Amino acid sequence: MKEANISDSAVRRLSQYLRLLRELERRGTEVVSSRQLAERSGATSAQVRKDLSMFGSFGKRGRGYDVPELADTLDGILGLRRRWRVCLVGVGKIGTALLGYRDLGRRGFDIVAAFDAEKEKVGHEVFGVKVHSMAALERVVRETGAEIGIIATPPEAAQEVAAALASAGVSAILNFAPVELEVPEDLPVRTMDVVLELEGLTYLLSRNGAGEGSAGDGEI
Amino acid sequence: MKEANISDSAVRRLSQYLRLLRELERRGTEVVSSRQLAERSGATSAQVRKDLSMFGSFGKRGRGYDVPELADTLDGILGLRRRWRVCLVGVGKIGTALLGYRDLGRRGFDIVAAFDAEKEKVGHEVFGVKVHSMAALERVVRETGAEIGIIATPPEAAQEVAAALASAGVSAILNFAPVELEVPEDLPVRTMDVVLELEGLTYLLSRNGAGEGSAGDGEI
DNA sequence: AAATGTGAAAGTCTTCACAGCA
DNA sequence: TGCTGTGAAGACTTTCACATTT
């Protein structure tokens, strides 16, 4: 398999193809064409083929792609042939929702520890995950070997937590706090921000004639 | 102000600039340069200037941008000079977390109604928002004038809910279910998927030499 | 006949670098 | 002097279109 210098959005698409492939696999579909993957993922067939060809040749001409085989290939590309250990900082509403989100486990991510600044939460288990004090962060991250840290704290605390996670040795951070984190260059961070996504929508709505309560049919 | 044909990622950056400007405003900072905005948002100064220049000339040469003025300008561009009515479908863990997320209200988004398929939840209020039955969706969306629908249901239900929201007349959808939704062309959808973001990280970790528990200093 | 894999073309986005203004 | 606004250059991404393979 080729090493590829692939863009962020291409990786995102690969994840989407994989999501579709798993669904097709569940239904017993054996073969899928780039066209079909494209339709169901909002890409074009050429783009699907290009994305995949960055890593090798996985299809059969005249036929398409073998579903389980391509799913496994994408697992390999995305680093999903193994499980990942994740820790979560901030057991508030979002943090709790994540602890209870069973898909994480199903898709290969094990939450091995949680942390919270509030004394009342420390020592308890939430959805089977033990909540530690912030003071224990560095020790517990090392002991559990957590590789990915999720930040679900208030924004004021996020930068400090990011620094602590970095120095405790996590290799990547998923950040739910609405702030831009400063971290060492080699520590990838993805930020998920609901308000930011909503603003992306309101931008579009204010350009077009929003507020006119239309919609409702699929007309072009 | 110019009308601009601006990319998705540029809109995302505008939101980030706005987030920073609000923080600067809170601290009483009066003027900011493209360089400063760039540093704190992970962009370059040229990009900040370019992004803004798509919509007009808002800075003062030799000086920078007036913070409250630029914040207000970006509010205008992003459609945030008004409040938006939002409804939420699926009062599970994520849905509940969103209902309790006070930032939404602070940033101009009012959740005016919630819906759930479970009988036990219907009729109750969650964080001050009344939960309706799915059967009431179309009526309540029309009555409340909800413009944006948030889908926080299990993936199996998401497509059906999207169709119901579309036909009830919402103008945009924010989707937390890990599926690609098929909706009328003129109905923008943004999907937020934790697993997809995590996979973006594991992709990077498996390219580099991950698993070596390094990191910890801010060295270049 | 059908669908891949891929160069080449087209299109988009980002960076450069500097004229011009406060 | 300092920093914006912006054409032009460069980098990157997507689409096209077709030779190739099953």
Side-chain angles (χ1 to χ4, degrees):
Chain A
M1 193 179 335
K2 298 178 208 164
E3 278 291 308
N5 236 25
I6 201 185
S7 70
D8 232 56
S9 33
V11 175
R12 190 162 265 124
R13 286 194 301 272
L14 292 179
S15 276
Q16 292 182 135
Y17 306 152
L18 178 55
R19 195 162 69 185
L20 290 173
L21 288 165
R22 286 197 258 241
E23 198 188 319
L24 292 170
E25 213 173 2
R26 232 177 297 128
R27 297 203 212 146
T29 311
E30 286 180 3
V31 172
V32 70
S33 68
S34 58
R35 167 97 81 94
Q36 292 169 298
L37 281 175
E39 269 168 18
R40 300 153 134 278
S41 72
T44 66
S45 65
Q47 185 149 80
V48 172
R49 294 199 299 280
K50 207 35 144 205
D51 287 342
L52 297 175
S53 76
M54 305 287 284
F55 295 91
S57 294
F58 311 118
K60 285 169 192 60
R61 295 175 192 234
R63 197 168 142 73
Y65 300 87
D66 182 274
V67 170
E69 196 180 301
L70 185 57
D72 184 61
T73 301
L74 287 181
D75 274 343
I77 291 170
L78 294 170
L80 303 173
R81 291 226 182 94
R82 44 159 296 195
R83 300 190 67 80
W84 293 87
R85 289 180 295 279
V86 178
C87 69
L88 180 131
V89 188
V91 188
K93 295 183 203 87
I94 306 173
T96 305
L98 289 168
L99 288 171
Y101 187 40
R102 319 209 51 225
D103 254 27
L104 288 182
R106 281 191 212 111
R107 304 280 290 270
F109 298 92
D110 298 313
I111 303 189
V112 295
F115 304 93
D116 200 282
E118 280 183 35
K119 277 221 185 62
E120 299 80 52
K121 290 180 182 163
V122 175
H124 292 249
E125 283 203 355
V126 179
F127 292 110
V129 178
K130 190 165 174 195
V131 181
H132 302 267
S133 74
M134 297 302 293
L137 192 143
E138 185 140 354
R139 177 179 58 77
V140 174
V141 167
R142 290 192 191 287
E143 282 175 8
T144 56
E147 298 147 313
I148 300 177
I150 300 183
I151 299 180
T153 65
E156 312 81 67
Q159 178 57 56
E160 195 185 349
V161 168
L165 286 168
S167 100
V170 304
S171 305
I173 288 178
L174 182 62
N175 171 39
F176 284 87
V179 289
E180 226 42 47
L181 299 176
E182 286 188 47
V183 293
E185 257 215 317
D186 61 341
L187 183 62
V189 175
R190 294 249 188 158
T191 297
M192 295 184 74
D193 180 345
V194 181
V195 171
L196 203 120
E197 299 299 329
L198 285 171
E199 289 177 355
L201 292 171
T202 58
Y203 168 79
L204 295 171
L205 296 185
S206 349
R207 306 272 103 193
N208 315 337
E212 315 155 16
S214 75
D217 59 46
E219 225 58 286
I220 309 174
Chain B
M1 193 181 330
K2 295 178 209 164
E3 278 291 309
N5 236 26
I6 201 187
S7 70
D8 232 57
S9 35
V11 175
R12 191 162 264 125
R13 285 194 301 271
L14 292 179
S15 275
Q16 292 183 135
Y17 305 153
L18 178 55
R19 195 161 70 185
L20 290 173
L21 287 165
R22 286 197 259 241
E23 198 188 319
L24 293 171
E25 213 173 2
R26 230 178 298 128
R27 296 203 213 149
T29 311
E30 287 180 3
V31 172
V32 70
S33 67
S34 59
R35 166 97 81 94
Q36 292 170 298
L37 281 175
E39 269 169 17
R40 299 154 134 278
S41 71
T44 66
S45 65
Q47 185 148 78
V48 172
R49 295 199 299 279
K50 209 31 146 208
D51 286 341
L52 297 175
S53 76
M54 305 286 283
F55 296 91
S57 294
F58 310 118
K60 286 169 192 59
R61 292 174 193 237
R63 196 168 143 74
Y65 301 87
D66 182 274
V67 170
E69 196 180 300
L70 185 57
D72 183 61
T73 300
L74 287 180
D75 274 343
I77 291 169
L78 295 171
L80 302 173
R81 292 226 181 93
R82 45 159 297 195
R83 301 189 66 81
W84 293 86
R85 289 181 295 280
V86 178
C87 69
L88 180 133
V89 188
V91 188
K93 294 182 204 88
I94 305 173
T96 305
L98 288 168
L99 288 170
Y101 188 41
R102 321 212 47 226
D103 254 27
L104 288 182
R106 282 191 211 110
R107 304 278 291 269
F109 297 93
D110 298 313
I111 303 190
V112 295
F115 303 92
D116 200 282
E118 281 184 36
K119 278 221 184 61
E120 300 80 51
K121 290 181 181 163
V122 174
H124 292 249
E125 283 203 356
V126 178
F127 292 111
V129 178
K130 191 166 172 195
V131 181
H132 301 266
S133 73
M134 297 302 292
L137 191 144
E138 185 141 351
R139 177 178 59 77
V140 174
V141 167
R142 290 192 191 286
E143 282 175 8
T144 55
E147 298 147 313
I148 300 176
I150 300 184
I151 298 179
T153 65
E156 312 82 67
Q159 178 57 55
E160 194 184 351
V161 168
L165 286 169
S167 100
V170 304
S171 305
I173 288 178
L174 182 61
N175 173 39
F176 283 88
V179 289
E180 226 41 48
L181 299 176
E182 285 188 48
V183 294
E185 263 218 311
D186 60 341
L187 183 62
V189 175
R190 294 249 188 158
T191 296
M192 296 185 73
D193 180 346
V194 181
V195 172
L196 203 120
E197 299 299 328
L198 285 171
E199 288 176 356
L201 292 171
T202 58
Y203 167 79
L204 294 171
L205 296 185
S206 348
R207 306 272 104 190
N208 315 337
E212 314 157 15
S214 76
D217 59 46
E219 226 59 286
I220 308 172

